[in-house]
């Protein structure tokens, strides 16, 4: 019995791998294993012999089982140790570069503009992009015969044959948002209305959809002086440098008096720089809100007055980020935006190869 024990424990201790260990288990404790066969012999023994051999064989079986389990664990540990010694990781290698998306320049400028006016107390107003001709034109003192109302500039929605109601229009400016705001909240007012506007025009400097921000301040004694301060403050914050403005007398149906506003700039080697030099660049239209417009929006012009202005977002985005062609914004070709540091998106397959 002792030889049997010593033999199995020694062979288990010397097993080189798990497969060898499994072979030993079958040879010792499998159906026809040496120890199993010995246990089968117990039935043929006298009770006295069995009393001695039974417990001894059972103890041997337990001991061999434990030795197998212990050796199996030891082999596993050794394999892991070897793997850990063999594998290593260079944590100083550069990481895998992943391109991330970026905000569109027009959206970024919308956010910048909104933040600057918010600091001056202006809230953001929004409204529908499909408007009635009342909110887009009549309420703004734009009569039916005004050129801005001519078919060539305005997109009209379709009416079914026999439906004689006036068609809706795609808003040509965000002024209707401010009319709706005055109607809903009355005076005083401090709002800006940023958003998409539409005009049937497409060339080097015009796209049929573009972005505008209008501003409106109504109170008891608001003047053009307040307008000039607000605009100079805005342009200085937006361009990050002090910017002079120049007001030129102009005409809009919805303001009286009206002024077009230029900002100070220089032209050097074909590029514009804002806030230096002695050239001027027209960037917006403005004026004191016409009494007819206030009245249309339910605000009493004998009690309230104020300024309004409107400017193109795409235009001031191009100026700040040095983008020369408006079509860069709305063209599906992302090479443009990438060139100006905005497009991190992969160029679609149809555009690759350049
Ligand atoms: C331009 C001219 C302008 C306004 C927009 C406005 C709005 C209301 C009442 C009166 Cl609710 N006026 N907006 C005023 C003057 C000019 O835009 O050339 N924009 C690019």
């Amino acid at each position: 019995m002792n030889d049997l024990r010593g033999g199995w424990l020694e062979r288990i201790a010397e097993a080189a791998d798990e497969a060898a260990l499994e072979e030993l288990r079958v040879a010792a404790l499998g159906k026809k294993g040496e120890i199993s066969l010995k246990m089968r012999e117990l039935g043929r023994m006298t009770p006295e012999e069995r009393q001695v051999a039974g417990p001894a064989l059972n103890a041997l079986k337990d001991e061999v089982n434990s030795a197998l389990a212990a050796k199996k664990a030891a082999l596993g540990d050794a394999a892991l140790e070897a793997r850990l010694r063999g594998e290593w990781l260079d944590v100083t290698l550069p990481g895998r570069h992943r391109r991330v998306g970026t905000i569109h320049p027009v959206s970024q400028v919308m956010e910048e503009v909104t933040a600057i006016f918010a600091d001056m107390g202006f809230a953001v107003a929004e409204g529908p992009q499909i408007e009635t001709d009342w909110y887009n034109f009549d309420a703004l003192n734009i009569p039916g015969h005004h050129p801005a109302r001519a078919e060539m500039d305005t997109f009209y929605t379709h009416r079914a044959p026999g439906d004689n109601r006036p068609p809706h229009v795609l808003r040509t400016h965000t002024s209707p948002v401010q009319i709706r705001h005055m109607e809903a909240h009355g005076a005083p007012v401090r709002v800006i209305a940023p958003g998409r506007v539409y005009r049937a025009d497409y060339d080097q400097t015009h796209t049929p959809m573009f972005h505008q921000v209008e501003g409106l301040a109504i109170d008891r004694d608001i003047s053009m002086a307040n307008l000039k301060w607000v605009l100079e403050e805005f342009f200085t914050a937006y361009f990050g440098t002090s910017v002079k403005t120049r007001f030129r007398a102009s005409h809009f149906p919805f303001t009286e008096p009206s002024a077009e506003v230029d900002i100070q700039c220089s032209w050097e080697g074909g590029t514009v720089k804002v806030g230096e030099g002695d050239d001027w660049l027209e960037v917006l239209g403005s004026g004191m809100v016409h009494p007819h417009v206030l009245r249309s929006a339910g605000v009493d012009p004998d009690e309230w007055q104020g300024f309004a202005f409107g400017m193109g977002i795409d235009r001031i985005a191009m100026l700040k980020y040095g983008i020369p062609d408006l079509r860069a914004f709305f063209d599906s070709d992302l090479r443009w935006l990438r060139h100006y540091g905005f497009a991190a998106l992969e160029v679609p397959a149809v555009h690759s190869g350049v």
Side-chain angles (χ1 to χ4, degrees), residues 49-81:
E49 286 174 326
R50 198 184 303 136
Q51 216 155 28
V52 179
L57 274 174
N58 266 321
L60 174 61
K61 182 184 157 196
D62 288 348
E63 200 174 357
V64 167
N65 262 329
S66 308
L68 284 167
K71 181 66 181 177
K72 189 173 177 178
L75 284 172
D77 285 354
L80 182 62
E81 284 291 336

Side-chain angles (χ1 to χ4, degrees), residues 140 175-176 178-179 182 199 212 214-216 252 254-255 259-260 282-290 293 308-312:
L140 285 148
S175 319
Q178 292 160 301
I179 299 292
M182 285 189 276
R199 291 185 199 176
Q212 202 196 18
E214 289 210 1
L216 180 69
F252 301 108
F254 27 85
T255 46
E260 279 172 317
E282 185 190 327
V283 284
L284 61 82
S286 65
M288 296 301 290
V289 179
H290 197 290
V293 175
F309 61 84
M311 73 180 135

Side-chain angles (χ1 to χ4, degrees), residues 215-292:
L216 180 69
I218 305 291
D219 216 314
R220 294 186 189 278
D221 54 7
I222 292 222
S223 73
M224 293 284 275
N226 301 131
L227 170 64
K228 187 165 168 83
W229 181 86
V230 164
L231 292 179
E232 283 181 354
E233 199 72 7
F234 166 73
F235 285 118
T236 297
Y238 177 72
F239 288 108
T241 176
S242 155
V243 180
K244 291 202 178 82
T245 63
R246 181 174 75 172
F247 281 55
R248 281 178 293 105
S250 184
H251 175 266
F252 301 108
F254 27 85
T255 46
E256 182 59 37
S258 303
E260 279 172 317
V261 180
D262 305 336
I263 53 175
Q264 176 196 10
C265 74
S266 72
W267 277 99
E268 259 170 45
T271 53
V272 210
K273 279 209 186 114
V274 174
E276 59 168 58
D278 39 32
D279 273 339
W280 297 98
L281 196 68
E282 185 190 327
V283 284
L284 61 82
S286 65
M288 296 301 290
V289 179
H290 197 290
H292 288 176

